[in-house]
Amino acid sequence: MIPNETPITPELVAEHGIKPDEYQRILDLIGREPSLTELGIFSAMWNEHCSYKSSKIWLKTLPTKGPQVVCGPGENAGIVDIGDGQVCVFKMESHNHPSFIEPYQGAATGVGGILRDVFTMGARPIAAMNALRFGSPDHPKTRHLVRGVVAGVGGYGNSFGVPTVGGEVEFHESYNGNILVNAFAAGIADKDAIFYAKATGVGKPIVYLGSKTGRDGIHGATMASAEFGEDAEEKRPTVQVGDPFSEKLLLEACLELMESGSVIAIQDMGAAGLTCSAVEMGAKGNLGVTLDLENVPCREDGMSAYEMMLSESQERMLMVLKPEKEETARAIFTKWGLDFSVVGETTDTKRFLIRHNGDVMADLPIMELGDEAPEYDRPYLRTEAPDPLPASEIEAPKDYAEALMTIIGGPNNCSRRWVWEQYDHLVMGNTMQRPGGDAAVVRVDNESTKGLAFAVDVNPRYCLAHPYEGGKQAVAEVWRNITAVGAQPLAITDNLNFGNPERPEIMGQFVGCIEGIGEAARVLDAPVVSGNVSLYNETNGVGILPTPAIGAVGLLPDIDVMATIAFKAEDESIVLVGGHGTHLGRSTYLRDVLGRDEGPPPPVSLVNELKHGDFVRSAIRHERVSACHDISNGGLAVALAEMAMASGIGAVIDMPVSPDLHAKLFGEDQARYVLTVPGAHLARVLEDAAAHDVPAEVIGKTGGPALRIGTALSVSVETLHHAHEAWLPEYMSEEL
């Protein structure tokens, strides 16, 4: 154990991820050399993961307000109004570096952390999702990482008792040395019973709640703010260890505590643990905080102040308590078998004072720990738009059926059943749509007919080719996913995963994506209410694809009026909304069938997204549509195949062979949907489309045992299903 009085050397400063100019800033701020504990506190508060020092100036440009927004960025999670005195609390956050080092615990504690963000605010979690990115399937570590991460997500979520209802899994060689594990959670609370982190009142007790503190996760946030080198495996001790059963107890105890009227402020101990939670509560209330660490419940003997302040042990909370409610609160936590200890108090000093057995370990200005963190306007180099790649310059497949089978049977478009069947997606009994559709739908509660729709998506290859269009498309895609089930999109959360921002080309990717996300969020009325930035996702200078994952929440007034992707009956009209495909640049067809990944991504017309989506949602709400699916990766052919496979019903599409048939079938033009419409409603649907200037045409009928497209393609639904389901189980069954 290093003594608190250890002289601070340049080497020690560098080990804490603090650059020389940042250390000089610390010296100027406090007027002396920091103690070891103080250095650790600055390291925790000023790292990229906690301070957003490279991204803050750009995050401020995002739209965060709207009549539906109750709480935007700055708290544990965002909050939107869903009517009837209820709100939805939701957020997405990364656990990338820990999951690469120790996949099971990294993924598990990522799930645990995001669930705490939700119930810290007084909401009961009702749904979880995830966005996972792994390296090339032929990389020697990929199977191990997939197996560990999926087991970790399922192990924690299943044991905690929240349904994991959706997400995405993709493979790409850029993630070989740095996988992505982005966890999403949403919960429901009463609008008049929301809890925040802002401390109020002087002399109020600060209480430690939950599990004991150990040495796991020390410097976890700092590790997450640096790129990997050859020593990545040596960082295993910085990965936290989770206990979902303790978290379930913590949830119930916290919600009961909140109902008792005991809580002034509450904050979960996530990144940077006790340090970040205490500083945030005090600073938000313009108060000081004093902590006496000998009162912190520890599970290991001899822990130092430095270790206690930087530990990221899981399932812990910090609370400012109403003094008269101390015994009530203690009784609640004793009943649930969890630690409850008064570890400090609020003060009027605006200082962050840390004592251990009577000795002062740290004495710092609390406001400046956050407010004076470095804020960088890093130089950036914009990504130039690729040259146009007309479909006429891209060869058509020799065999359309084989091309379709290649896409739906490949690593990135095959069924994810092997993944989601390991998650309990039905626990709580309110899951209305299982994974595999456009969006998950969860009933708000057991009595309600109101539902919430959830989706998460991004196309990193689009973002690499043209960050601005890729950022727009990510928002437009989840907006379409929510719309396709009949829900009204309310707001989004983001998880911005990029490489090293100190490289201008990477910072340019970040800036472009932010601008695209912001523009789409404004036009589509989907404000950004929460999120996370994860930078330095690279190993030995090799960065990931820019991956700004977007999570969306929508409101479904009546779950009995909801669309799914499955064909429902034979002899229904299939209607294409938004026009035929024309764009094959960066398409799945180009990559999977022709082995090329080039050209610009499809342009996104936000005006058309809004117009087409509002039309589709209205048709669903008026019960004129029996099935709906948005067109995205793989184009129309893949959308039709997925609808057929979901139902076991085939389709006959009237589309003659032509020079541009490959673009019509595999083009990834945006703002498009496939609808099935019963005969009685067809005329009205087409009339409404024309009245709203929305392109809509009948392209075929449902029915038969096969998907037939003119004379170009005929494949039985059974054959499609077999190809779609086979790849991932076969891949994962091979020996490590």
Side-chain angles (χ1 to χ4, degrees), residues 571-573 677-684 701:
D571 202 34
E572 292 191 337
S573 294
V677 182
H681 298 300
L682 181 61
R684 182 59 187 272
K701 292 267 193 179

Side-chain angles (χ1 to χ4, degrees), residues 405-424:
M405 300 278 280
T406 296
I407 292 172
I408 67 167
N412 285 311
N413 281 86
C414 69
S415 169
R416 278 21 186 165
R417 186 183 303 275
W418 182 91
V419 174
W420 59 258
E421 283 192 341
Q422 297 185 54
Y423 306 151
D424 190 340

Side-chain angles (χ1 to χ4, degrees), residues 369-387:
L369 277 171
D371 293 348
E372 294 298 322
E375 186 172 313
Y376 295 121
D377 185 359
R378 296 199 183 277
Y380 60 90
L381 184 65
R382 289 193 181 275
T383 303
E384 292 187 17
D387 292 334

